[in-house]
Amino acid sequence: MSSLSNPPIPGNVPAPGIIEGPFRPKHRRTHTGFGVREIKAVEASIPQPLRETWRKLSASEFDGKEQFQKEVVRHVETTLARSIYNCDDNAAYSGTALAIRDNLVIKWNKTQQQQTLQDQKRVYYLSLEFLMGRTLDNAMLNTGLKDTAREGISELGFRIEDIIDQEHDAALGNGGLGRLAACFLDSLATLNYPAWGYGLRYRYGIFKQEIINGFQAEVPDYWLDFNPWEFPRHDVAIDVMFYGTVNPGPRDDRGNIKKVWEGGEIVQAIAYDVPIPGYGTDCTNNLRLWSSKPSGGEFDFGKFNSGDYEGSIRDQQRAETISAVLYPNDNIDAGKELRLKQQYFWVAASLHDIVRRFKKSHRPWKEFPDQVAIQLNDTHPTLAIVELQRIFIDIECLPWDEAWYIVTRTFGYTNHTVLPEALEKWSVPLVQNLLPRHLQIIYDINLFFLQSVERKFPKDRDLLRRVSVVEEGTPQVLRMAYLAIIGSHKVNGVAELHSDLIKATIFKDFVDIFGQDKFTNVTNGITPRRWLHQANPKLSDLIASKVGGYDFLQNLTKLTVLEKYVDDKAFKKEWMEIKLAAKVKLAKYIKDTTQIAVNPHSLFDIQVKRIHEYKRQQMNIFGVIYRYLRLKEMTPEERKKQVPRTSIFGGKAAPGYWMAKTIIRLITAVGEVVNRDEEINGLLKVIFIEDYNVSKAEIIVPASDISEHISTAGTEASGTSNMKFVLNGGLIIGTCDGANIEITREIGEENIFLLGNLAEQVEDLRHQHRFGKDVVMDPKLREVCDVIEAGKFGSEQTYSGLIAALTTGFDYYLVSDDFSSYIATQDLVDEAYRDQDGWATKSITSVARMGFFSADRAINEYAEEVWNIEPCELPKSGSRP
C-alpha cells in the first residue's frame, strides 16, 4: 500500500515534491497536489523573474466569437490533424468541446487553488453512479457560452444542435441514484461549496440496450472512444489489495500488537478527473473517477515468450474487469465477488486520496471531521467506514476508540430504499476471502456497538439479534445498511414519506437506540439548469420573459410569478404551442428510430425509468391492453369520441432480472399488435424507446402530457423523474408514494391524478393475499390476463411467470388491488385532456409551484444539517442567459 506518512513541515528544507536545481525548483507531482504551506513555500522558492514570466504567459479564457472560432479551428487543425476539407460534424464537435474545455480548465484550476488556500471543510460525495449525460451543452450553458458557440460554429458551417448530438452520454450510471448524484454535483458547484465526487470509470457503462425480436439484449456501451472531458492522472496511482492474510506485527507505542494485512493481490487505481462547472459562477469542482489496472504491468513477456499468449495478458484482464461494467450480474458467485471488489477498490482509493489531502494541512487527527465530510450515497460505499477505521488503527496507529470517534463524526448516510430485500448484504465467507482484515474490523465494530446497546437495553436480548451487523444464517451475512447507520452521525431519507417509513419499519430499532436526532429527511431535488433550461429552452425563455430574467434558474421559487398568467389567453396559447413543438420533436425521433408514426396531437402518456416490478410498468401495459380491448369493442362513432393516446415506455432491465425483461417483451409485443391494427385508426400507439438515457430524457421529458409514477405505495423512496416532468409542464398520474406526496402538497390535489391504496394499507393487503380466503383478481385485470394467456401477444409461455406473480405469487406489488383505481383515474385523465384550456391551467399552475424541488435547496439542507460546510467565495461571472 502507498505510504500515508505525514509530509515534513516546510521550513529551512525544500517543500515536499521539490528538488532544487541551478535555474529553478523542479516540481515532482504528489497524489493530491500541495497543501497551503507547501504552496507558500514553493512560491517563495521560485525567483521573481520566473514568476513574472509565467504569469505573463499564463493561459487565459477566450473572449468573444472570433477568439472562440480561432480556438476551434486551432484544435481541429493541430489536436485532430484535420483541415477545412475533412472537418465533419464529429471533428467540429471535438474542436468545440476542446475549446470550451480549455476555458473550463482555467476556471477549474483557479477553483482548486482558491479552495486549497481558503482551507475550508470539504464534502466528498461517494456514489457508485454518476449519470452525467452529455457534457458539452451543459458546460456551454453553465459558463454562458452557448450563444457565442452557436454563432461561431454557424459561421464555420455547422449547426450547434448537430454538434451536440455527436457526443456519447457518459455511461457512469443507470437510474435515479446516479442522476441525483449528477444533479447534486451541479448544485454544489453552483452554490460554491468545496466538494469532490468520487466514483468509478466504467469502460462499458452498465450496457447498451438493444431490442432484438422484442427482447432486451445487452451489448457493451463504447462511450470512451473520445472523451475530451476527462483528464487522466497516471501519476495518481494507488495500490489496492485484495485477499491475503492478517498476521500479528510489531507492538505499537502503547504495547498493542499491530495487525498486518499482507500477501494479497495488488491492483492499481488510476485517477481520471472531470471538471464540474457551476452556473453563474467560476466555481468548477472535481469529479474523480478510478480506473483499474494491474500493479505489475500490463504484459508478461516471460509468459509470452514461453508460448502462454493468453496468460501474458491474464493479469491485465483480471484487474481491468473491476472497472469494466456497472453492476455486473450477481446471480452467480463470480458476479458477487466482482461487485464487492468494485466497491472496495473504489472506496479504498477514494479514502486514500481524502486522507492524503487532509494530512497536507498538518492538523491533528481529531480535527479530521472538522475538515472532511463524507456522504455515502446508498449502501454501496459503506466499506468506506471500515477502510477509514483500518487506516487510522493499522497505518496511523490511533487508539481504537479515538479512531472510531473520528470515523463516526465524518460520515453521513443517505438511504434510498424502504424494501428490506433491497438492503445490501454480503456473505461472511466472501468477505473473509476477499477482505480478511476488514471482516475483523467489522466484527470489532459490531461488538463495540452491541455492548453499548446491551448497556442501554440490558433485558432485551432479541434486540441485539435484530440490530447486529452480522445476520445469523447459513452462511452468515453482513447487513451493510446497519453498518452504515452505526458508522454515520446522520442518516437521511429522500422524501418525507420515505424518511417516516424507514424510521417506523426497517430502521425502527436504531431510532430507539440512537434517538430521533440522528435521522432526518432531505427531499430530493433536480437541477433546473439541465432539466428546464437545457432540455426545454423555449419554455425556459418564455418563463424568463414573465418572471424578470433567468434568476429563477438559481432561485426556483421565483416561478410563483407564473400564477399571475394562468388566465392570460395569449400566454396559455404560447405555453401549449411550446408543448406541441416538444411533442413534434419527440414524434420525429420516434419515427426516425422505430419507423412508427405517432400523432403529436394525441395525449403523450410516458413512463421512462428503470424496469422493476415495484415501479409497475406491468400495470401500465395491462392498462394499455385494457384500453385496446375497449376500443375494439366500440363502434366507429364511439371511437371518434375517444382521446387519442400514445403510450411511451423506456428503461433498462438488469441483465439478471428475468421478470423485468418479460415486462419489456410484453410492452413490445403489445406495440406490435396495436400499432398495426388499422381498425382503431391510430387512437392508440405503443412505443418502447430503446437504450433510455439522459440525452433521450431531454427529448422525452418536455414532450410529456401525462407521466406515470405508479409504484406500489411505500416502495419508491422518492423519485426525481416526477419532478422533471412537472417542471416541464407535464401532469402526473401516480400513487401516494415517494415525492408524489410532497408534489401534491405543493401543486394542489386538483393538478395531479392520484390512485391506489395507501402505504399503511399495503401490509394488510399482502397478508390477506397470502393467508386470506376467496381473494379474487380484479375482473378487469382478469380479462387482460385471459387475453395474454390466449396468445394474443405471442406464446403464453413467455408471460407465464408474469401472470403467476399475480396469482400463485400472491401479487406482492398489489397490481390487482390498484388496477380498477388505475383504469378509473386514466378515464379522468382523458376527461381533463379534452378541456385543453383547463389542462393548460393545470400545467402552468404546477410549474409555478415547483420551486421546492430544486437540487439547490436539497444541497443547502445537506450543508446545514449534515455536512456543516460553508461556500468558498469565488468571483461570479454574472447572470447566465
Side-chain angles (χ1 to χ4, degrees):
M1 305 294 287
S2 295
S3 171
L4 290 171
S5 60
N6 273 307
I9 298 174
N12 297 322
V13 296
I18 295 297
I19 302 173
E20 293 180 335
F23 301 109
R24 60 156 294 159
K26 303 294 184 183
H27 173 205
R28 184 178 70 248
R29 182 180 169 85
T30 58
H31 284 310
T32 52
F34 287 147
V36 178
R37 297 187 188 186
E38 286 84 356
I39 288 175
K40 292 177 180 177
V42 170
E43 187 171 27
S45 69
I46 299 174
Q48 181 67 24
L50 294 184
R51 290 207 300 269
E52 290 177 359
T53 301
W54 188 278
R55 285 169 183 158
K56 184 174 67 175
L57 299 174
S58 288
S60 59
E61 300 174 42
F62 63 74
D63 183 20
K65 179 181 65 177
E66 188 171 329
Q67 288 186 22
F68 164 73
Q69 291 171 320
K70 184 177 180 180
E71 288 299 300
V72 172
V73 172
R74 180 178 68 83
H75 276 298
V76 169
E77 292 186 346
T78 61
T79 308
L80 306 178
R82 294 205 184 192
S83 69
I84 188 174
Y85 304 108
N86 61 354
C87 181
D88 55 13
D89 282 347
N90 192 54
Y93 158 72
S94 300
T96 302
L98 290 166
I100 298 294
R101 187 196 71 172
D102 288 350
N103 263 26
L104 208 57
V105 168
I106 295 170
K107 298 178 189 292
W108 189 28
N109 284 332
K110 289 179 180 177
T111 299
Q112 300 308 310
Q113 291 164 8
Q114 184 71 8
Q115 289 179 357
T116 298
L117 288 171
Q118 291 198 13
D119 201 22
Q120 294 175 247
K121 185 176 185 178
R122 276 183 174 150
V123 62
Y124 299 98
Y125 197 82
L126 270 58
S127 180
L128 201 56
E129 297 185 38
F130 287 96
L131 198 57
M132 305 302 292
R134 291 170 173 165
T135 299
L136 175 59
D137 199 13
N138 183 251
M140 290 190 296
L141 287 169
N142 277 14
T143 55
L145 295 170
K146 181 76 175 279
D147 290 339
T148 299
R150 177 185 287 108
E151 293 174 20
I153 210 70
S154 174
E155 292 180 7
L156 293 173
F158 300 92
R159 293 175 67 250
I160 193 70
E161 293 78 12
D162 296 335
I163 286 174
I164 291 170
D165 282 344
Q166 300 303 306
E167 183 176 359
H168 293 291
D169 275 39
L172 298 171
N174 178 35
L177 184 81
R179 188 51 236 172
L180 178 75
C183 283
F184 279 2
L185 290 186
D186 178 273
S187 288
L188 282 163
T190 297
L191 296 169
N192 294 323
Y193 287 115
W196 281 47
Y198 279 103
L200 284 177
R201 180 181 179 264
Y202 304 105
R203 186 174 292 105
Y204 306 117
I206 184 166
F207 59 83
K208 183 179 180 182
Q209 181 192 57
E210 293 183 358
I211 302 300
I212 300 175
N213 297 324
F215 291 89
Q216 172 181 294
E218 301 91 29
V219 299
D221 186 353
Y222 297 104
W223 70 282
L224 282 171
D225 291 345
F226 175 74
N227 182 15
W229 306 105
E230 67 175 13
F231 291 81
R233 309 293 197 189
H234 295 296
D235 49 341
V236 183
I238 296 170
D239 288 343
V240 178
M241 188 163 71
F242 302 100
Y243 311 110
T245 58
V246 181
N247 300 309
R251 293 184 181 274
D252 62 20
D253 295 340
R254 293 174 301 280
N256 299 317
I257 298 176
K258 291 181 62 176
K259 299 290 182 65
V260 179
W261 180 28
E262 57 191 359
E265 173 186 309
I266 305 293
V267 176
Q268 273 198 335
I270 307 298
Y272 286 76
D273 288 347
V274 181
I276 307 295
Y279 177 88
T281 174
D282 283 348
C283 182
T284 305
N285 283 331
N286 194 48
L287 170 61
R288 176 157 285 183
L289 304 171
W290 300 105
S291 183
S292 55
K293 62 176 290 187
S295 62
E298 297 181 358
F299 190 76
D300 189 326
F301 255 114
K303 289 183 180 179
F304 185 85
N305 289 335
S306 67
D308 185 6
Y309 304 128
E310 292 182 0
S312 66
I313 59 170
R314 189 172 294 123
D315 288 347
Q316 176 189 355
Q317 293 173 332
R318 180 178 170 85
E320 292 181 352
T321 298
I322 293 174
S323 60
V325 176
L326 169 64
Y327 300 140
N329 186 354
D330 62 355
N331 288 347
I332 55 176
D333 289 341
K336 289 184 175 68
E337 179 174 296
L338 181 55
R339 279 206 185 193
L340 185 58
K341 262 190 172 181
Q342 277 189 338
Q343 292 184 10
Y344 177 65
F345 170 82
W346 154 53
V347 301
S350 302
L351 261 295
H352 178 102
D353 217 31
I354 292 166
V355 168
R356 284 290 299 264
R357 191 170 296 110
F358 171 78
K359 291 179 74 168
K360 288 180 180 297
S361 72
H362 306 283
R363 286 181 165 86
W365 285 113
K366 66 181 181 180
E367 294 183 16
F368 189 84
D370 300 327
Q371 289 296 108
V372 174
I374 303 176
Q375 191 66 27
L376 308 176
N377 192 27
D378 214 356
T379 54
H380 307 126
T382 303
L383 281 171
I385 292 170
V386 189
E387 176 67 5
L388 186 57
Q389 181 73 0
R390 187 188 73 83
I391 290 171
F392 284 159
I393 63 176
D394 287 359
I395 300 175
E396 302 300 336
C397 300
L398 268 65
W400 204 99
D401 290 354
E402 180 183 338
W404 185 241
Y405 179 72
I406 296 169
V407 168
T408 54
R409 290 174 59 216
T410 299
F411 287 96
Y413 163 49
T414 300
N415 173 269
H416 285 277
T417 184
V418 295
L419 303 176
E421 65 271 20
L423 296 175
E424 197 166 45
K425 299 177 182 180
W426 294 112
S427 77
V428 167
L430 173 60
V431 179
Q432 172 72 58
N433 179 50
L434 193 67
L435 303 168
R437 179 59 181 139
H438 294 75
L439 182 63
Q440 292 179 349
I441 294 171
I442 290 170
Y443 283 155
D444 289 343
I445 291 170
N446 194 43
L447 177 63
F448 182 84
F449 169 65
L450 291 180
Q451 287 174 340
S452 68
V453 173
E454 189 170 34
R455 286 192 296 270
K456 191 171 183 179
F457 302 92
K459 297 181 180 180
D460 194 345
R461 293 290 178 87
D462 192 58
L463 176 62
L464 301 180
R465 177 191 60 80
R466 296 198 305 270
V467 301
S468 174
V469 172
V470 182
E471 180 180 314
E472 297 302 326
T474 308
Q476 292 178 317
V477 295
L478 304 177
R479 300 187 269 208
M480 303 309 284
Y482 290 9
L483 181 58
I485 294 170
I486 295 165
S488 299
H489 68 96
K490 277 288 185 183
V491 178
N492 73 279
V494 291
E496 285 182 4
L497 174 65
H498 170 234
S499 296
D500 290 341
L501 282 173
I502 61 175
K503 288 191 292 184
T505 57
I506 55 177
F507 299 152
K508 180 180 183 300
D509 289 328
F510 291 94
V511 176
D512 295 337
I513 293 166
F514 291 110
Q516 293 280 348
D517 289 348
K518 181 163 182 164
F519 297 83
T520 188
N521 173 66
V522 182
T523 298
N524 284 344
I526 59 172
T527 169
R529 274 81 63 178
R530 181 180 288 267
W531 292 112
L532 180 55
H533 192 49
Q534 179 175 326
N536 203 346
K538 290 181 180 177
L539 184 61
S540 181
D541 292 344
L542 177 62
I543 291 171
S545 72
K546 299 300 181 184
V547 303
Y550 294 88
D551 287 350
F552 73 92
L553 294 172
Q554 293 169 286
N555 182 2
L556 205 58
T557 59
K558 291 189 175 184
L559 291 176
T560 55
V561 175
L562 292 176
E563 286 208 61
K564 295 193 300 187
Y565 299 95
V566 292
D567 296 320
D568 185 326
K569 291 185 178 180
F571 178 73
K572 290 169 86 169
K573 181 175 182 291
E574 191 171 358
W575 185 276
M576 296 304 284
E577 285 174 350
I578 289 171
K579 175 63 72 175
L580 179 60
K583 293 169 70 175
V584 169
K585 181 179 179 181
L586 177 55
K588 181 181 184 302
Y589 175 82
I590 291 170
K591 178 66 174 175
D592 291 344
T593 55
T594 69
Q595 288 71 57
I596 300 170
V598 300
N599 176 11
H601 294 279
S602 66
L603 187 154
F604 276 21
D605 176 349
I606 299 176
Q607 188 178 21
V608 285
K609 53 186 70 193
R610 180 168 55 95
I611 309 295
H612 198 289
E613 289 169 275
Y614 88 83
K615 294 179 182 289
R616 297 204 294 191
Q617 287 95 345
Q618 69 272 36
M619 187 165 78
N620 186 345
I621 194 61
F622 291 155
V624 171
I625 295 171
Y626 184 80
R627 177 180 290 269
Y628 175 63
L629 296 176
R630 298 289 76 79
L631 287 171
K632 293 290 286 183
E633 292 174 351
M634 293 178 186
T635 65
E637 289 302 314
E638 288 173 324
R639 291 191 191 114
K640 289 179 182 179
K641 300 175 184 178
Q642 303 305 305
V643 174
R645 185 178 289 232
T646 301
S647 290
I648 300 169
F649 297 82
K652 295 178 180 179
Y657 192 177
W658 173 80
M659 189 70 83
K661 288 185 168 183
T662 303
I663 293 170
I664 291 176
R665 177 53 190 141
L666 181 58
I667 294 167
T668 59
V670 172
E672 290 164 8
V673 172
V674 170
N675 297 340
R676 289 199 295 258
D677 193 328
E678 296 181 0
E679 187 179 15
I680 61 172
N681 195 29
L683 280 174
L684 181 63
K685 289 289 179 74
V686 180
I687 305 297
F688 189 90
I689 295 178
E690 93 178 356
D691 200 39
Y692 175 65
N693 57 23
V694 174
S695 57
K696 291 183 175 71
E698 291 171 14
I699 301 172
I700 294 167
V701 168
S704 165
D705 289 311
I706 196 86
S707 60
E708 307 222 7
H709 309 275
I710 54 175
S711 53
T712 309
T715 60
E716 185 72 85
S718 171
T720 53
S721 63
N722 44 11
M723 304 170 191
K724 295 160 195 164
F725 282 110
V726 178
L727 188 61
N728 280 271
L731 303 187
I732 281 179
I733 178 171
T735 49
C736 293
D737 197 26
N740 285 355
I741 295 171
E742 287 157 276
I743 291 174
T744 302
R745 183 186 65 201
E746 295 293 321
I747 70 175
E749 288 188 29
E750 68 278 11
N751 298 313
I752 190 169
F753 298 93
L754 295 174
L755 65 104
N757 289 281
L758 302 178
E760 52 265 32
Q761 300 169 302
V762 167
E763 286 307 315
D764 288 341
L765 288 168
R766 285 174 176 162
H767 181 84
Q768 184 180 347
H769 288 185
R770 184 170 289 274
F771 302 109
K773 296 180 180 179
D774 302 323
V775 179
V776 180
M777 183 185 290
D778 179 273
K780 296 183 179 68
L781 183 58
R782 181 70 265 173
E783 181 184 0
V784 170
C785 291
D786 288 344
V787 171
I788 294 172
E789 291 180 313
K792 177 70 174 178
F793 306 107
S795 170
E796 68 276 13
Q797 292 301 315
T798 302
Y799 313 110
S800 58
L802 191 57
I803 304 300
L806 304 174
T807 53
T808 56
F810 305 110
D811 192 13
Y812 184 79
Y813 296 104
L814 308 188
V815 175
S816 178
D817 298 271
D818 287 348
F819 194 66
S820 278
S821 173
Y822 176 70
I823 296 301
T825 307
Q826 288 285 19
D827 291 341
L828 295 177
V829 172
D830 286 342
E831 183 181 341
Y833 193 72
R834 290 187 179 96
D835 176 11
Q836 283 289 287
D837 186 70
W839 191 274
T841 298
K842 290 177 183 290
S843 175
I844 295 167
T845 303
S846 297
V847 173
R849 298 175 181 177
M850 281 296 288
F852 176 76
F853 299 100
S854 169
D856 295 351
R857 182 268 315 154
I859 286 300
N860 279 326
E861 289 182 13
Y862 276 108
E864 183 175 344
E865 298 177 21
V866 182
W867 303 329
N868 191 29
I869 61 170
E870 299 289 338
C872 177
E873 291 303 324
L874 295 163
K876 291 196 173 183
S877 298
S879 180
R880 307 281 190 174

